[in-house]
Amino acid sequence: MTPPPRYVSRVCSVICALMPILTLYFGNIDVSVTSSAFIVAMALVLQRGNPRFAQLSSAVFGLFYCGYLPCFWVKLRCGLAVPALNTKLGHVWPVVLGGQTHWTVGLVATLISISSIIAADTFAFIGGRAFGRTPLTNISPKKTLEGAFAGLTGCILTAVLLSKILCWPTTLLSASGFGVLNFTGSLFGDLIESMIKRDAGVKDSGSLIPGHGGILDRVDSYVFTGALCYSFVKIMLPLFGV
């Protein structure tokens, strides 16, 4: 695979960093994403030498993967401003974090989602170490079916428990579905990042965090989950009247 020129990669990095900020202040980023992809395409076409389609596809995928998808966490947290049901916790929510006015469905959904992903990773690691026998996929040889089942169980239990505490979602079925969705997004986000690293011939995405690799190695489970959770809260729950 032919990587894009270094200056194009730097431009993509700047655009990816700006996308969540634009989402926070303007809400809709469809136009900015389209414009960014066009700018990157022009830069590649006008470069010296022979531009390759692999350069364009990897650069545009980088915008989507590292820029567009993380924006859904901003939309989930800040775009769903309906007040949450549990006003008791809202009254004691720290002022430095926005106070009672920030105790919204978006905040509750974000807290449950992040907690569920952490539980899924923890349960999957413990379950895989204790009972793991059957490989899950060739992409990540250390992952097992037993570990995945343990992670799914921990994710659902965490989502259901927090839904009872935070009074959202309001039904057991929707809370369980939210847990399944979080687990699915985290698992396949991890596997997709492993596939990218394998294709690039590297073990870690970086070396910023000693012993853990790069930032992407720590947040790969969250990349797709934000978009899935936002769609679940914004589309699926109202569709079923929850």
Side-chain angles (χ1 to χ4, degrees):
M1 183 179 65
T2 305
R6 187 175 296 273
Y7 74 91
V8 175
S9 299
R10 290 174 177 173
V11 170
C12 287
S13 298
V14 173
I15 293 175
C16 289
L18 289 176
M19 280 186 184
I21 300 176
L22 294 175
T23 304
L24 178 62
Y25 286 101
F26 298 102
N28 196 333
I29 60 170
D30 294 339
V31 175
S32 62
V33 171
T34 307
S35 303
S36 301
F38 181 68
I39 292 172
V40 171
M42 284 197 308
L44 287 171
V45 170
L46 296 176
Q47 69 171 306
R48 295 179 181 178
N50 297 321
R52 305 287 296 274
F53 179 73
Q55 296 176 321
L56 176 62
S57 59
S58 60
V60 172
F61 178 77
L63 290 175
F64 170 77
Y65 188 71
C66 297
Y68 180 68
L69 287 176
C71 291
F72 281 94
W73 283 107
V74 179
K75 298 181 73 171
L76 179 67
R77 168 63 184 88
C78 303
L80 302 175
V82 179
L85 296 177
N86 194 335
T87 56
K88 293 181 179 179
L89 286 177
H91 285 306
V92 297
W93 188 249
V95 177
V96 294
L97 297 179
Q100 186 177 354
T101 57
H102 280 238
W103 187 253
T104 60
V105 170
L107 174 59
V108 172
T110 303
L111 291 175
I112 295 177
S113 181
I114 293 177
S115 301
S116 299
I117 294 173
I118 294 174
D121 290 340
T122 304
F123 275 71
F125 176 77
I126 296 174
R129 289 289 296 270
F131 308 106
R133 298 292 184 272
T134 311
L136 179 64
T137 174
N138 292 331
I139 297 176
S140 185
K142 293 184 179 180
K143 286 184 170 55
T144 62
L145 284 173
E146 293 81 3
F149 181 76
L152 175 61
T153 303
C155 195
I156 294 176
L157 289 176
T158 302
V160 171
L161 176 63
L162 290 179
S163 71
K164 298 300 182 182
I165 297 174
L166 303 176
C167 301
W168 186 95
T170 54
T171 66
L172 178 62
L173 181 61
S174 59
S176 301
F178 195 57
V180 172
L181 194 69
N182 278 290
F183 173 76
T184 304
S186 65
L187 175 62
F188 282 93
D190 194 339
L191 293 176
I192 289 172
E193 202 251 348
S194 297
M195 181 178 64
I196 295 172
K197 291 189 295 184
R198 172 171 289 195
D199 189 63
V202 297
K203 182 178 181 296
D204 298 317
S205 64
S207 57
L208 184 64
I209 308 174
H212 294 275
I215 294 178
L216 192 57
D217 294 303
R218 295 295 90 203
V219 301
D220 53 2
S221 299
Y222 299 84
V223 174
F224 288 93
T225 314
L228 294 176
C229 291
Y230 180 79
S231 301
F232 180 82
V233 178
K234 191 74 174 179
I235 300 174
M236 295 302 295
L237 290 184
L239 185 64
F240 292 99
V242 179

